[in-house]
């Protein structure tokens, strides 16, 4: 069995790493937050003191960090992996970053004779815990085939989208749909509340019709409960729309819906709600409508 190094043990990374441990893999874990490293290591694996240390001892390195600057730190920063990766190892970044950054990362590591995949995920904390993530993969077929047994421990729907960066491009598309759907559900449930009808019954009725979606189901319930514990943090959703808007700009694709939701997320962040779940768009809608 290949030895796995796992870097980034937050809301997503911790349960993903734990599923690999349960499946019998030997794991070496690291998070910049030492307490998180120790918490995961205590469930049956060894802890590392740096990304460098992880790369030195692993056949497969997986990263699950918030954004591009953190990933750059893991790769090129002090005690980063770039001077430690072993030739013939496999690097899988599962964070959500821009496709262009994924390609830059790919080229730098391939020059070190490392196989590289971008493999962002969808399915949230529950998907990570239940190992039902949808995983969108970019990179060579050879690297994909090597990674597949490991990815199958963390996810169910695993699709090789195309070459380097293709997984991240698919994830950008995913995040547009997620953000706009959350905003749609938030607007609809706010309207129902303001009209004085039972918003819980509206959700129940709509779940059986054409407006049915997992977001109406899961986030609709969060909105009814006013429960905005993350989940997926508002500032990370904003980061993903930034990627979408930049990509749209580069490819000359107007994304008017994404622009509007990005502005609403900016308003939430400006109010101090960056760490709330992205479904907190409903909190903002409620406040703007004078009902919360
Ligand atoms: P999180 O903030 O809970 O966890 C990120 C972890 O990375 C933290 O524990 C942090 O300490 C660690 N970290 C940051 N910089 C580091 C570094 N230089 N070295 C080592 N560790 C470092 O975030 P999350 O919700 O787990 O999301 C992780 C990634 O997955 C993001 O790119 C996010 O967009 C994506 N994602 C999240 C969800 C979700 O529902 N939470 C769903 C799909 C995709």
């Amino acid at each position: 069995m290949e030895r796995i190094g796992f870097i980034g043990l937050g809301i997503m990374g911790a349960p993903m790493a734990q599923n690999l441990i349960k499946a019998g893999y030997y794991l070496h874990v690291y998070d910049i937050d030492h307490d998180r490293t120790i918490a995961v290591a205590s469930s049956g694996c060894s802890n590392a003191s740096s990304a460098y240390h992880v790369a030195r001892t692993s056949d497969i390195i997986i990263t699950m960090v918030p954004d591009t600057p953190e990933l750059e730190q893991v790769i090129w920063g002090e005690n980063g992996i770039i001077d430690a990766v072993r030739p013939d190892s496999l690097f899988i970044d599962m964070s959500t970053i821009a496709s262009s950054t994924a390609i830059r990362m790919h080229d730098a590591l391939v020059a070190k004779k490392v196989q590289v995949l971008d493999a962002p995920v969808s399915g949230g904390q529950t998907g990570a815990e239940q190992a039902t993530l949808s995983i969108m993969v970019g990179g060579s077929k050879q690297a994909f085939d090597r990674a597949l047994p490991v990815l199958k421990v963390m996810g169910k729907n695993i699709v090789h989208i195309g070459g380097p960066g293709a997984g991240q491009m698919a994830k950008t598309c995913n995040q547009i749909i997620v953000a706009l759907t959350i905003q749609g559900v938030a607007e609809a449930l706010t309207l129902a509340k303001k009209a004085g009808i039972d918003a819980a019954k509206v959700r129940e009725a709509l779940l059986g019709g054409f407006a049915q979606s997992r977001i109406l189901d899961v986030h609709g319930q969060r909105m009814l409960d006013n429960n905005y514990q993350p989940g997926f943090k508002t500032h990370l959703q904003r980061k993903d729309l930034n990627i979408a808007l930049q990509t749209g700009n580069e490819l000359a694709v107007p994304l008017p819906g994404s622009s509007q939701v990005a502005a609403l997320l900016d308003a939430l962040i400006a109010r101090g709600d960056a760490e709330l779940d992205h479904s907190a768009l409903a909190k903002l809608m409620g406040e703007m409508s004078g009902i919360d």
Side-chain angles (χ1 to χ4, degrees), residues 117-138:
L117 292 174
D118 49 288
V121 307
S122 179
Q125 184 178 10
T126 308
E129 287 166 357
Q130 297 178 352
T132 55
L133 292 168
S134 185
I135 308 180
M136 302 146 240
V137 189

Side-chain angles (χ1 to χ4, degrees), residues 59 124 230 265:
D59 303 308
L265 290 167

